[in-house]
């Protein structure tokens, strides 16, 4: 699906029907029994209103006939009993509708959110980082909870159509001259409603990035961590203005357009009420002339009003469904979207030793960019070798990691893992044998210390002894033992009894996570940036000792952490410009040596 597909501000009738059917199918597949009950009870309730009105009319006529001595008093019992039975049925189906609707809603919200993040994971990083896909996701995140609205509107439309059919037969038979006008008066309403809907939707899409930016500002204003800096630098006013400006603009726009729309609705409502009044006048005249009973009057009044109301509800549901379908169609497109690159078919199997990795004539540039970040790279990392990659910011070191993780595919050349092209490998097979600690590592604040480590390898049963050993190797066990609840401590002050670890503590927990994972291929991207020099030295000594038989890639700016690597690769502008052991590179007296001495001078 092309990005241009996300720029539509309307949908065709065929797309409207397709989206509506898809909405029902999604809900049906989740809870078919409850969905059937919800739809059936809606239809029955719409028909029971006519039955109830008819029963009431007969009760009134019966009471009058009994009071005039024309019927036995027992007919009052029969009539009231019938009315009671209908009321019980109506209440029962109403409860069934409410219960099934609430249970569908409760299950849907949890299940559908799960389906969204599962789909996001399947699409991959390269797809999700495209700006237009981000705009789409922003609208989906804002609108997906309204997905059920489409389903409910479809059920409402079906119920209204059932009532229109029944009411229409009665109204056309009794006041045939009025019925067509009751139908025709809804046409301009549909026109104005759809026009307004398209206008709002077009503006909403137009302002997607502006909205994203405004709500990102709001997030910063409500995040306690961000507020620390904002409070000190007095930056709150700047972000507040960004959010408030957008909010005020949108409010003023919607208020102006909605007022114009409501004025049009008011005029149409006057016409509709005039037609209903004429129909009611016809009923009264027939009663006065003796053609119908007072019970008939009480039946025809609500039937005519109900017929008009159901037509209005039906057209209103259709126009609302059209608006909802505009939003739902994007959700449908999202679930039908395919990843930029399809998953491979080959498997590495479960590796027991570190793999060989080969970069062969690799060129790479990020999507929507013309600048090559990696240029003609040729690099072989031997099986079970421990290498370090160094270079200035922007040299391409982290990009190399992303390529090796399969987040992006190379523009030319190939990356081989144990002689298998990474494009041909199943992602799960690759990740099963890999552990990566990124610069921006995850902080699972809602989890305990032990679960922050355990999440590194959840396929096996939790091993508490292994967790403690991983924490010791990452120099994290000492501060964990000082927590009140030790390894069971929740790591956020926003939870009862929780604590807030320092940035250095979080980084040690992230490193412990990868000691616990103990994968054949281990990649550390600036793993100790927030850790003191003493702890850093301990951790790296343990990394070099612990990961025996593994392939280890360490990216770091600190030369003291890489000097014990089997080989050091110096990166510059996406190319390897030097490589060798620490001693080899010092003797070479090139960029590495100059940077090493400069950094060493800074520590004096």
């Amino acid at each position: 699906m092309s990005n241009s597909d996300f720029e539509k501000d309307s949908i065709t009738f065929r797309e409207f029907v397709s989206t509506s059917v898809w909405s029902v199918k999604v809900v049906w597949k989740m809870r078919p029994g409850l969905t059937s009950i919800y739809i059936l009870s809606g239809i029955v309730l719409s028909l029971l209103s006519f039955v109830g009105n008819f029963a009431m009319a007969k009760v009134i006529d019966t009471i009058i006939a009994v009071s005039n001595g024309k019927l036995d008093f027992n007919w009052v019992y029969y009539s009231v009993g019938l009315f009671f039975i209908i009321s019980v049925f109506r209440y029962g189906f109403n409860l069934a509708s409410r219960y099934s609707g609430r249970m569908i809603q409760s299950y849907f919200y949890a299940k559908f959110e799960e389906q969204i993040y599962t789909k996001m994971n399947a699409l991959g990083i390269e797809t999700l980082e495209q700006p237009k896909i981000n705009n789409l996701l922003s609208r989906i995140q804002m609108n997906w909870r309204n997905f059920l609205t489409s389903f409910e509107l479809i059920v409402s439309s079906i119920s209204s159509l059932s009532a229109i059919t029944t009411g229409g037969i009665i109204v056309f038979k009794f006041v045939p001259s009025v019925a067509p006008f009751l139908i025709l008066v809804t046409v301009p309403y549909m026109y104005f409603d759809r026009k307004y809907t398209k206008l709002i939707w077009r503006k909403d899409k137009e302002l997607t990035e502006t909205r994203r930016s405004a709500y990102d500002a709001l997030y910063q204003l409500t995040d306690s961590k961000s507020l620390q800096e904002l409070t000190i630098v007095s930056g709150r006013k700047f972000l507040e203005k960004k959010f408030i400006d957008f909010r005020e603009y949108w409010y003023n726009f919607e208020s102006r357009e909605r007022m114009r729309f409501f004025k049009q609705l008011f005029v149409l409502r006057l016409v509709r009420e005039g037609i209903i009044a004429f129909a009611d006048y016809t009923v009264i005249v027939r009663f006065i002339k003796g053609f119908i009973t007072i019970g008939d009057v009480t039946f025809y009044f609500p039937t005519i009003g109900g017929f008009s109301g159901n037509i209005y509800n039906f057209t209103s549901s259709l126009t609302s469904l059209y608006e909802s379908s505009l939003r739902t169609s994007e959700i449908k497109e999202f679930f039908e979207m395919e990843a930029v690159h399809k998953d491979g078919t080959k498997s590495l199997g479960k590796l027991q030793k570190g793999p060989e990795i080969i970069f062969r004539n690799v060129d790479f540039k990020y999507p929507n960019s013309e600048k090559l970040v990696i240029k003609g790279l040729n690099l072989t990392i031997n099986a079970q070798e421990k290498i370090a990659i160094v270079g200035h910011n922007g040299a391409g070191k982290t990009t190399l990691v992303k390529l090796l993780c399969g987040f992006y595919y190379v523009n030319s050349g190939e990356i081989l893992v144990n002689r298998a092209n990474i494009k041909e490998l199943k992602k799960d097979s690759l990740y099963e044998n890999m552990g990566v600690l990124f610069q921006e590592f995850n902080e699972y604040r809602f989890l305990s210390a032990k679960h922050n480590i355990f999440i590194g390898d959840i396929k096996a049963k939790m091993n508490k002894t292994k967790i403690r050993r991983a924490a010791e190797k990452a120099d994290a066990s000492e501060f964990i033992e000082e927590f009140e609840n030790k390894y069971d401590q929740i790591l956020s002050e926003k939870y009862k009894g929780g604590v807030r670890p320092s940035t250095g503590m979080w980084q040690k927990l992230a490193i412990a996570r990868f000691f616990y994972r103990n994968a054949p291929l281990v990649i550390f991207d600036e793993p100790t940036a927030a850790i003191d020099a003493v702890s850093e030295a301990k951790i790296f000594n343990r990394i070099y000792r612990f990961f025996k038989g593994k392939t280890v890639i360490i990216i770091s700016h600190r030369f003291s952490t890489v000097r014990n690597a089997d080989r050091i690769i110096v990166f510059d502008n996406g190319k390897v410009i030097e490589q060798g052991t620490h001693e080899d590179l010092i003797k070479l007296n090139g960029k590495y040596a100059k940077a090493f001495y400069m950094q060493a001078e800074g520590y004096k």
Side-chain angles (χ1 to χ4, degrees):
M1 181 170 297
S2 67
N3 287 331
S4 61
D5 290 338
F6 307 129
E7 301 303 317
K8 298 185 297 183
D9 56 17
S10 63
I11 55 176
T12 64
F13 177 75
R14 184 175 181 179
E15 290 171 327
F16 169 72
V17 172
S18 173
T19 300
S20 300
V21 171
W22 179 77
S23 301
V24 175
K25 282 183 178 179
V26 168
V27 179
W28 177 276
K29 286 180 181 178
M30 290 186 184
R31 281 290 183 266
L34 288 173
T35 304
S36 299
I37 292 171
Y38 186 69
I39 295 173
L40 181 63
S41 58
I43 295 173
V44 173
L45 281 171
S46 68
L47 298 178
L48 279 176
S49 64
F50 291 102
V51 177
N53 291 337
F54 183 76
M56 176 60 78
K58 294 306 174 186
V59 167
I60 292 173
D61 281 344
T62 299
I63 292 172
I64 293 174
V66 170
S67 66
N68 292 333
K70 295 180 179 180
L71 286 177
D72 185 82
F73 192 81
N74 287 332
W75 280 97
V76 174
Y77 297 130
Y78 302 149
S79 300
V80 172
L82 175 63
F83 192 71
F84 171 76
I85 291 171
I86 292 171
S87 297
V88 170
F89 266 93
R90 181 184 292 173
Y91 184 68
F93 278 102
N94 184 52
L95 283 180
S97 176
R98 288 165 56 191
Y99 172 79
S100 56
R102 182 61 61 87
M103 290 301 98
I104 288 171
Q105 184 184 72
S106 177
Y107 185 81
F108 173 84
Y109 284 152
K111 184 66 177 178
F112 200 63
E113 195 158 21
E114 174 192 332
Q115 292 180 350
I116 288 176
Y117 68 68
T118 300
K119 180 63 178 181
M120 289 177 67
N121 183 65
L123 288 175
I125 302 298
E126 185 171 351
T127 304
L128 296 176
E129 287 190 348
Q130 295 179 32
K132 290 187 178 181
I133 302 298
N134 266 273
N135 288 340
L136 172 68
L137 286 172
S138 175
R139 292 193 294 272
I140 288 174
Q141 291 294 344
M142 187 170 59
N143 295 320
W144 77 264
R145 285 185 174 274
N146 295 322
F147 179 91
L148 273 183
T149 302
S150 289
F151 170 71
E152 291 165 352
L153 286 169
I154 291 168
V155 175
S156 175
S157 298
I158 294 171
S159 301
S160 295
L161 191 59
S162 302
I164 289 170
T165 303
T166 305
I169 293 171
I170 297 169
V171 174
F172 268 97
K173 183 177 180 181
F174 190 74
V175 278
S177 60
V178 171
F181 291 102
L182 288 174
I183 296 172
L184 288 173
V185 76
T186 61
V187 174
Y189 167 78
M190 290 185 68
Y191 169 77
F192 289 125
D193 196 3
R194 184 173 180 183
K195 182 180 178 182
Y196 170 76
T197 297
K198 287 178 68 174
L199 177 67
I200 294 295
W201 177 242
R202 187 181 296 116
K203 179 63 71 171
D204 188 44
K205 294 193 75 170
E206 177 188 317
L207 295 175
T208 298
E209 283 208 356
T210 306
R211 184 192 301 274
R212 279 176 55 202
S213 180
Y215 277 88
D216 282 345
L218 179 64
Y219 172 78
Q220 296 290 333
L221 290 166
T222 56
D223 179 60
S224 58
K225 189 174 181 181
S226 301
L227 279 174
Q228 295 175 28
E229 179 181 328
L230 286 172
T231 301
I232 292 172
V233 302
S234 301
R236 286 176 56 239
K237 292 292 183 184
F238 175 76
L239 295 185
E240 281 175 5
K241 186 176 186 305
K242 189 176 185 65
F243 175 71
I244 291 171
D245 284 350
F246 172 78
R247 184 193 65 191
E248 291 299 316
Y249 174 83
W250 181 259
Y251 172 81
N252 291 332
F253 166 77
E254 188 173 19
S255 175
R256 181 177 65 253
E257 296 303 327
R258 192 172 287 276
M259 178 57 71
R260 183 180 295 130
F261 175 58
F262 278 13
K263 287 178 181 178
Q264 295 164 342
L265 282 188
F266 180 74
V267 173
L268 292 173
R269 185 60 183 253
L270 286 178
V271 175
R272 176 187 162 208
E273 292 301 324
I275 296 171
I276 293 174
F278 176 76
D280 290 342
Y281 168 78
T282 303
V283 172
I284 294 170
V285 169
R286 292 198 176 190
F287 169 71
I288 292 172
K289 291 182 177 181
F291 295 142
I292 59 176
T293 66
I294 188 66
D296 292 333
V297 172
T298 61
F299 173 66
Y300 284 122
F301 272 3
T303 299
I304 293 170
F307 175 66
S308 174
N310 282 317
I311 293 175
Y312 177 82
N313 290 338
F314 179 69
T315 55
S316 179
S317 293
L318 284 182
T319 52
S320 296
L321 183 58
Y322 176 80
E323 177 186 5
S324 181
S325 294
L326 282 170
R327 304 175 190 279
T328 304
S329 65
E330 290 201 316
I331 300 176
K332 180 173 179 282
E333 288 170 358
F334 168 72
F335 279 103
E336 292 174 348
M337 194 187 306
E338 294 184 358
V340 174
H341 304 292
K342 291 185 178 181
D343 199 8
T345 57
K346 294 183 179 179
S347 174
L348 281 173
K350 181 62 178 174
L351 301 179
Q352 300 303 314
K353 295 182 178 180
E356 176 192 55
I357 299 166
I358 299 173
F359 293 85
R360 184 178 293 160
N361 300 321
V362 169
D363 284 341
F364 174 75
K365 59 183 178 183
Y366 284 101
N368 303 317
S369 173
E370 295 302 319
K371 180 184 177 182
L372 283 174
V373 183
I374 305 294
K375 306 170 186 176
L377 176 64
N378 286 287
L379 174 65
T380 298
I381 302 172
N382 299 317
Q384 306 172 52
E385 186 179 19
K386 296 176 179 62
I387 72 157
I389 301 176
V390 298
H392 61 78
N393 290 334
K397 307 184 300 299
T398 298
T399 299
L400 200 70
V401 174
K402 292 180 178 180
L403 292 175
L404 188 52
C405 291
F407 293 162
Y408 297 89
Y409 283 176
V410 300
N411 298 109
S412 62
E414 58 183 355
I415 301 174
L416 307 176
V417 179
N418 274 0
R419 303 290 172 172
N421 192 313
I422 197 170
K423 291 182 179 180
E424 299 173 354
L425 290 173
K426 294 179 182 177
K427 288 289 195 301
D428 286 345
S429 173
L430 177 65
Y431 298 153
E432 183 184 16
N433 294 288
M434 176 186 287
V436 185
L437 177 59
F438 295 101
Q439 292 183 49
E440 297 178 0
F441 51 85
N442 289 358
E443 299 174 2
Y444 303 102
R445 298 171 182 268
F446 53 93
L447 297 180
S448 64
K450 70 181 179 186
H451 282 105
N452 262 273
I453 299 173
F454 171 65
I455 201 171
D457 186 14
I458 61 171
K459 288 190 175 180
K461 187 178 179 181
M462 181 184 288
N463 186 324
K464 292 183 179 180
T465 302
K466 187 179 172 184
I467 285 175
R468 290 179 181 275
R469 287 176 181 167
E472 289 170 2
K473 289 180 174 64
D475 207 30
S477 59
E478 185 176 344
F479 71 77
I480 293 176
E481 292 292 345
E482 291 177 356
F483 290 149
E484 181 179 351
N485 298 312
K486 302 187 184 308
Y487 282 83
D488 291 317
Q489 181 67 56
I490 297 296
L491 302 179
S492 172
E493 76 285 2
K494 295 180 181 179
Y495 290 89
K496 187 177 180 180
V499 299
R500 177 190 285 187
S502 67
T503 304
M505 289 177 178
W506 275 118
Q507 193 154 44
K508 289 179 180 180
L509 284 167
I511 294 170
R513 192 152 57 237
F514 288 91
F515 274 115
Y516 185 78
R517 184 170 180 78
N518 193 21
L521 172 58
V522 185
I523 304 172
F524 292 98
D525 189 358
E526 297 289 353
T528 56
I531 297 175
D532 62 90
V534 175
S535 294
E536 179 186 52
K538 290 180 183 177
I539 291 169
F540 269 96
N541 286 334
R542 290 164 185 161
I543 287 174
Y544 289 124
R545 290 199 307 269
F546 178 78
F547 290 107
K548 289 183 178 179
K550 317 291 185 182
T551 301
V552 179
I553 301 172
I554 298 170
I555 296 174
S556 179
H557 284 93
R558 294 183 183 175
F559 290 92
S560 59
T561 63
V562 303
R563 61 189 303 169
N564 293 325
D566 297 334
R567 184 161 48 116
I568 299 169
I569 311 294
V570 183
F571 242 60
D572 187 43
N573 292 323
K575 297 180 179 180
V576 176
I577 59 170
E578 297 175 9
Q579 60 177 304
T581 64
H582 172 73
E583 291 75 16
D584 292 338
L585 294 174
I586 291 297
K587 290 178 183 177
L588 186 62
N589 198 28
K591 280 204 170 187
Y592 176 86
K594 291 176 182 178
F596 176 81
Y597 287 128
M598 186 181 298
Q599 196 172 97
E601 187 69 26
Y603 283 113
K604 289 182 180 180

